[in-house]
Amino acid sequence: MGIVAGLDSSPEFTRIVVCDADTGAVLKQGYAPHPIEGRPSDVDPQAWLLSLGEAAGGGLLEGVQAIGVSSQQNAVVPLDAQGNTVRPAMVGGDKRAQVAAADLVDALGGREAWAQAVGCVPQAAQPVTKLRWLNKTEPDAALRTAVLLQAHDWLVWQLLGRPVRRTTDRGGASGTGYWSAAIGAYRADLVELALGHQAMLPEVIGPAEAAGTTPEGLLISAGTGETMAAAFGLGIGLGDAVVSLGASGSVMAVHPEALVDNTGMITSLADATGMHLPVVTTLNAVRTLRGAAEMLGLGDLESLSDLAVKSTPGAHGLVLLPYLEGERTPNLPHTAGTLTGLRRESMKPEHLARAAFEGMLCGLADALDVLRGRGVEVRRVFLLGAAAELSAVQAAAPALFGAQVVVPQPADYAAIGAARQAAWALGVSQGTLDPRTPPMWQGPAAQVLEPGEELAVGQAVRQQFVSVREQTYPGAFR
């Protein structure tokens, strides 16, 4: 079929991969930082175009037949009736909007009402919440807002020469807070609730559809959010879950239907293939390890890991409930961490180090169990993030998760997923691919870790954690 490109416009940079359309082999790469300092809450979207142009320099896109676009989720670009930006794009986990999130929850009648409406409860980062903040704090800008786009929608629109038709995909739309993955439709009433009036929203096109073709004949696919693009780039399918280890943690899995969760623990997203991507977030992942390392006077996480492997499963009875920032799963926003099981023989640095790793992983296993409890099958777990390389994580995770663990080699999976989407749209346009079946690309190079004989021990450690959690916070998951 030729060659395709995927570009990922993250909060800090643009990365482009050029891939063989049949196999997914990466042929060339480009990179450029955004010309912005720090991580501001407001960004001129022209910065994304400037870094895109720089990343594509040197003839990187010569011979490319189709491009897919992945971009940071939660960014919202408000445009006026002429298509000009009303104000800078609102991006990231915008803490300014925390009060607006609570306002929106109350305005619709509570968390359950939101879960039923769009499969998620408003958080400060979501576009719907940012619109509420805009309405309350910059009413003139809100009033001039006539069109709402997300970052990848805006980039696709720019690449196509700003046509009258504006498009998005199911994946990106499902993260807005005003599109329901369950019914596959916008909730325009929620836009009005947040912004104060109606606005034009991009057309949601199918996963294999093209957004359009540039005057030069370059096909542009639908585009999607970074989470969906990374899942597509990894090639996950039914039976697969992805656990991301950042300061906070997230667990997502592929499922054939949208999950409505009245507790608000599950965010019901759509993926980039026509399936669904329920996500459960924890507030405490690697920040738990960093806290333990500082407490023990260690300079890095590798030292903490080396210390932890000198202990044994169960950490001599030490159990850490890692709710250092409060917790979202379970919903315990005002808690602190808890360390139990202190005996004279357990009061050693290696046991505390082990308890930190087990506490973090058991918290993520709790999140996995939220999905399993709703019928989501989890046969293998992809473990992402720099901490996934730590020996203490790799030693404990398979038995605690009760599943095969796959640790992919670091790669630009969001950009690769965007390129795979481009190859799909190109193949459909040429009549060589089915719009229901994405191209079969080679999977990522990865370590595969099995629970093996450690499974029973790991599940005993997990039960110890659950018992302490239930004693400390009875009914937290009810």
Side-chain angles (χ1 to χ4, degrees), residues 293-318:
E294 287 174 19
M295 193 173 177
L296 291 167
L298 301 173
D300 54 48
L301 296 187
E302 287 75 12
S303 301
L304 184 72
S305 175
D306 292 343
L307 188 61
V309 296
K310 294 177 182 175
S311 180
T312 54
H316 265 248
L318 286 188

Side-chain angles (χ1 to χ4, degrees), residues 333-347:
H334 307 300
T335 57
T338 305
L339 182 66
T340 67
L342 286 167
R343 294 185 175 84
R344 179 64 191 89
E345 62 272 17
S346 67
M347 296 175 74

Side-chain angles (χ1 to χ4, degrees), residues 314-329:
H316 265 248
L318 286 188
V319 176
L320 176 65
L321 299 182
Y323 306 151
L324 309 185
E325 298 281 321
E327 189 47 82
R328 187 173 164 187
T329 306

